[in-house]
Amino acid sequence: MFPAVLGIAGTAVAAAGWFGYASSRGHDGFGLGGGSAAAITQPAAQAAAPAAVSVRDGATDVTPDGVLTVAAPPGEQIGMVELTYKTEAVQGVFSDDRRTWTASGPLRAGVSYALSAVTTTDAGGTGIQHETFTTSRPDNPLKLDLVAPTDGSVVGVGQPVVVSFTRPIADAGRAAMEQALSVSAIPPQAGHWSWLSASRVDYRPQSYWKPGTKVSVDLALDGLGDGHGRYGTADRDFGFTVGRDQETTIDLKAERATVRRDGNVVHTFAVTGGMPGLDTWSGTYAVIDKSPDVHMNSRTVGLGDEYDIPDVKWDVHITYTGTYVHSAPWSVGAQGVRNVSHGCIGTSPANAEWFFSNTLPGDVVKVINTPRQVAPGNGFADWQEPWDQWLTGSAVH
């Protein structure tokens, strides 16, 4: 969560020496050659008073996402602060007058920290404060509901990074949450986080990922609060690789799908979409997942007893509200002619199997020419928003 580097948040003041050693060995802090010791010895400066730490020494219930500060007594400054968990150092920021130091970001949950702080006076005196304390671990921690894509997966160029929590994040906590989530790509691409709901934040590049891109994601959630009294207890990191560029356009006025790979048409096939009144959502999707068999029951989408099919084949999932591209042998006569489904996109068994076999999670599927538009949070439809609009959903942009 924090860089495993030496946690020196500043340098010791040269005149004060290191950790309370007075400068009594000469003007440079070391013995000077020549002359007698009596001729060069300087009176030791009066020791500085110790710093005031906002956390009590020995405390065992420190909230990880609280603000930890170190303050110098009147007339003194903070020379150095070191705050560590094992070999992991917590970074911090000095005030302009170096009278206070504030830890950056949350601490880990349920671990012990050691703190050392050096105070200095204008006369060269030093004081040192040592403390240890332990952070608390919540009974009801912040939990993840969904993280996508899966670690090590190969995905399509439209794949967003999806982070969904089991409970809403307070408005006041979203900026810190965003800043704790990082994405790096090789080669680099501009991208940003955007909140699609109070419990879901997604990251996408400005334009589709470049094929072959290696993406690493770091979720520094340990100790991070949600603004409602819950906080994370573990970090998480994962990575994925972007595969070839495959984009499918499904035109439900023409009842036809066209699959392009790296810009070239590789397959076309007849389809049928949602009938009038149950129109398929238009929009630009990234494929959520796929399954060779899905039990489709109309009650799960609010359509009563319209259908109950236990083994629909070759299912490519594109919305949370139940839209798939799938095999529909019962509607082959309507495919390429008219829209007769309850909202899914049906095609022949052979075409459905081809599309299933040749589709990755994150592949782009664009549905056009229907009377309604999908919302960005309904599946992975992040590409519904133009870039400027996407950025307005960020808490830090």
Side-chain angles (χ1 to χ4, degrees), residues 195-218:
W195 291 87
L196 301 187
S197 73
S199 59
R200 175 178 166 183
V201 60
D202 285 14
Y203 181 99
R204 51 157 269 211
Q206 185 172 0
S207 53
Y208 297 148
W209 295 109
K210 298 173 182 176
T213 297
K214 304 287 187 182
V215 183
S216 298
V217 184
D218 181 19

Side-chain angles (χ1 to χ4, degrees), residues 2 20 51 73 91 99 174 177 205 240 256 281 303 317 340 348:
F2 303 101
Q91 303 304 302
R99 297 208 61 247
R174 292 181 195 174
M177 185 71 67
F240 58 94
R256 195 151 197 90
W281 300 98
L303 294 178
H317 192 193
V340 299
S348 70

Side-chain angles (χ1 to χ4, degrees), residues 13 33 80 98 143 181 191 201 209 222 236 295 321 342 373 382:
V13 178
M80 185 279 294
R98 290 188 74 91
K143 293 181 180 179
L181 313 178
V201 60
W209 295 109
D222 195 350
R236 182 165 176 175
H295 182 179
T321 50
H342 292 86
Q373 290 285 322
D382 301 42

